[in-house]
Every structure is written in structure tokens, then in C-alpha cells.
Amino acid sequence: MTVFYTLGDKLYVNITNRCPCACVFCLRDSGKGVGSAESLWLPREPYLEEIKAEFDAMSLDGMTEIVFCGYGEPTERAALAVSVCEYVKSRCYLPVRLNTNGLVKLINPDFEVSALKSFDSVSVSLNAADEAEYLRVTKPKFGAVSFTAMLDFAQEAKQFAEVCFTVVDVIGEKQIKKCRELAESMNIPLRVRHFVGNNESYT
């Protein structure tokens, strides 16, 4: 069971395979593993104590950041993600980032976004600049409310951590330009990720 894996100089945390979206460019559809992980498919979800023990046994030599990002949406287990983040921060001084689709309030309406203050940064998958394109590209199970929920989450999360939006360059220059305009209107930076396959599109 792969909970921690590396790609470049980053250590990634894989705590669930559940996700409410089926993005058209999702790496889950193109292979079993990423970076040092032969497979990110979990036979079951790891327990908190198991994650702690595995982290304690790891070497962080050469690592520059710890990122919650695996073959699922980390906020499917939002409370556990926060607990793991707090534990990691108590054991090392590396910055910790949450990669998320921003739908935690639809996944778990009772979750308090303020709990994300444990993270140094939160990266939100914007994916598209309008609701119709977002639904086409991301295919969230919650339907049309998802786009606004994602934007609202990003706006709220800014109060507690450094937030940026991300898009994958396969959406095309026209959409990227619109996404940049939307991000600027919300005063949130936009990062464009280059999609070239399982080992280079994940950061």
C-alpha cells in the first residue's frame, strides 16, 4: 500500500482513491503509478496511526515540500488530512501543500475550512473558466453547483492559507486566458501545469 511517494524533490501523500470528479485528463486513467510509486491504487484506506508510523520511518533528505495529492481527492478524508498535516508539521519544517478540487463543502458540508490553517498552501483545480466548460472537463458528481462551490472554497481558504488556482495546459490557450482573467478577478494566482504523462504533470 503506497501512502508516501516521491516525484522530483517533493514527497506526496496518498490517503484515498475516492474522488467526486472524473476529469478528462485524470492520470488515474493512464497508469497505475506516478513517480516512485508503482501503484497508487489502495487496497484500503490507511489509518492515521499507520500513516504516522510510515512517515516516521521515511528519510526527507532532498525533499523541499510535502504535498497531499494521490489517486483521489484528499478532502474525501478532510479531517484525517488535517490530522496528518498537523503531525507532519510537528516532525519537520518542510512546507505542506494540499492539492484539492475545492469541493470539500459538497463532500462534507460540516467541514470547517478554517481547519486548513494547518497547511502552508492550498492548490485548487480550477480546470475551466465557466460552469459549462467546468462540467464538461471535470464531470463532478454534484452537478452544476460544483463550479460555484469550488470558487467559494478558494475565496474562503484565502483567509487561512496561501491559495493558488491550477489548470492543465491541455485545456488550450483560449481557456487558459479566460482562467487567468477569472483568477485575477479573485486576486488568486494561477499556475499552468504542463501535461505530458504520469511522471511530469503532477506538481
Side-chain angles (χ1 to χ4, degrees):
M1 180 166 61
T2 301
V3 177
F4 293 98
Y5 64 102
T6 60
L7 178 59
D9 60 0
K10 296 177 175 60
L11 177 67
Y12 288 84
V13 191
N14 179 46
I15 59 173
T16 185
N17 290 155
R18 288 180 284 157
C19 184
C21 298
C23 299
V24 296
F25 44 72
C26 185
L27 292 177
R28 291 155 48 118
D29 299 326
S30 60
K32 295 191 299 182
V34 172
S36 66
E38 290 186 10
S39 176
L40 290 174
W41 293 111
L42 298 166
R44 61 170 175 80
E45 293 185 334
Y47 304 116
L48 177 59
E49 293 306 316
E50 292 176 311
I51 298 170
K52 289 179 177 180
E54 186 170 335
F55 180 77
D56 287 342
M58 296 200 62
S59 169
L60 298 179
D61 290 349
M63 296 294 102
T64 62
E65 187 180 27
I66 297 172
V67 186
F68 281 70
C69 182
Y71 264 12
E73 166 53 42
T75 64
E76 287 277 1
R77 306 183 74 191
L80 180 132
V82 170
S83 294
V84 173
C85 177
E86 291 172 346
Y87 185 77
V88 164
K89 298 283 281 188
S90 75
R91 289 293 195 271
C92 73
Y93 295 99
L94 291 177
V96 182
R97 169 166 39 113
L98 172 68
N99 282 9
T100 178
N101 57 30
L103 301 182
V104 66
K105 295 297 284 184
L106 297 178
I107 297 168
N108 181 2
D110 295 328
F111 180 74
E112 295 291 339
V113 176
S114 60
L116 298 180
K117 64 182 181 294
S118 300
F119 291 87
D120 295 284
S121 61
V122 177
S123 179
V124 182
S125 299
L126 179 58
N127 289 332
D130 60 77
E131 181 182 292
E133 184 65 9
Y134 178 84
L135 292 175
R136 185 189 73 80
V137 169
T138 305
K139 301 179 182 178
K141 72 177 185 180
F142 302 110
V145 297
S146 301
F147 184 65
T148 299
M150 177 269 297
L151 296 180
D152 289 346
F153 167 82
Q155 194 70 267
E156 186 176 357
K158 283 169 56 180
Q159 303 174 57
F160 309 106
E162 182 180 330
V163 173
C164 78
F165 281 129
T166 65
V167 295
V168 180
D169 60 2
V170 292
I171 67 174
E173 286 300 323
K174 185 176 180 180
Q175 267 297 315
I176 290 173
K177 182 176 183 293
K178 290 181 178 179
C179 286
R180 197 176 302 282
E181 291 170 353
L182 174 58
E184 288 176 355
S185 74
M186 296 178 64
N187 197 29
I188 296 176
L190 177 74
R191 185 162 55 89
V192 180
R193 299 189 293 121
H194 179 49
F195 183 86
V196 291
N198 279 64
N199 285 330
E200 299 180 60
S201 60
Y202 221 55
T203 56

